[in-house]
Amino acid sequence: MVDETIEEAKAVLRIDAHAARAALSQSERAEAAASVAQLFFETLAPRTEDVVAAYWGIRDELDCQPILVRLMDANIKVVLPAVLDDEEPLDMRLWEQGTALYEAGFGTLAPSALAPRAEPDVILIPLLGFDRVGTRLGYGGGYYDRTLVSLNKKPKLIGLAFAVQELPLIPREPHDVPLDAVITEAGVRHFGAVA
């Protein structure tokens, strides 16, 4: 059952978080993306045997491409999510060096439907907002919530964001899985046991 009060509060927070993110200049975005990539590899770098789920950014999300390039250069397996249906988990498709990307829902890109699938050990997750206890505010579609409960293992959840996306407090519902960490241009914040 959906708590309408919480949903209304989240809707207001989404508007505020999106406005803060949208107000950043192109140079601020590029500098932040480079800083976040550097911090990721300095503090939370995946192991060579890990599978990392990343994303192909949409709208004004923090650009994940600097991380994607370095992961591919290091021969670390990368999966990109594709939207199959409004009520389905994301389809985690392995992106192999040199393979094309295709429209995968909501303006994002992913490998073709024929690509192999893999369960991630680490998920780099886009967001609209986050708070001091690791609650993530997404777009409200529930895609990552459904995906996380469908996995056979618990991956590390690392939010990628701009510092201006931090909110004082996001109401957390039972299905909201907290982040283990968030990386912004201002640094890395740990919320759980991230090894």
Side-chain angles (χ1 to χ4, degrees):
M1 186 166 141
V2 174
D3 184 328
E4 293 300 325
T5 307
I6 290 177
E7 286 306 310
E8 288 171 13
K10 285 183 173 181
V12 170
L13 290 172
R14 283 187 183 99
I15 292 167
D16 294 344
H18 190 262
R21 190 174 79 180
L24 295 170
S25 71
Q26 288 300 327
S27 62
E28 289 171 317
R29 291 174 195 291
E31 289 171 18
S35 294
V36 166
Q38 188 65 31
L39 288 165
F40 172 69
F41 286 101
E42 287 175 358
T43 61
L44 295 168
R47 301 167 302 177
T48 54
E49 66 271 17
D50 284 341
V51 174
V52 178
Y55 61 90
W56 197 269
I58 59 172
R59 296 183 278 253
D60 48 17
E61 290 176 342
L62 186 115
D63 186 0
C64 191
Q65 288 186 41
I67 293 174
L68 285 169
V69 168
R70 287 184 63 181
L71 290 170
M72 298 291 269
D73 287 348
N75 292 317
I76 293 174
K77 290 182 181 170
V78 172
V79 293
L80 293 175
V83 176
L84 296 178
D85 186 85
D86 285 349
E87 300 302 318
E88 295 291 322
L90 295 166
D91 190 30
M92 297 293 184
R93 299 175 181 175
L94 190 63
W95 186 29
E96 296 171 312
Q97 194 83 347
T99 59
L101 297 177
Y102 301 90
E103 168 61 38
F106 291 98
T108 190
L109 300 175
S112 87
L114 301 175
R117 279 30 177 201
E119 282 209 0
D121 300 291
V122 176
I123 298 180
L124 302 178
I125 192 165
L127 48 86
L128 271 173
F130 66 95
D131 66 17
R132 70 189 185 306
V133 294
T135 305
R136 172 188 169 267
L137 182 67
Y139 294 102
Y143 292 101
Y144 279 97
D145 297 324
R146 284 190 296 281
T147 302
L148 294 173
V149 298
S150 75
L151 298 175
N152 293 314
K153 57 186 171 186
K154 183 349 186 146
K156 293 177 194 171
L157 300 179
I158 303 170
L160 301 182
F162 301 103
V164 297
Q165 291 177 258
E166 184 170 3
L167 299 167
L169 184 65
I170 300 168
R172 188 183 292 176
E173 297 177 270
H175 66 267
D176 291 326
V177 179
L179 298 167
D180 293 304
V182 69
I183 309 173
T184 72
E185 72 278 16
V188 179
R189 303 258 302 275
H190 295 276
F191 305 111
V194 176

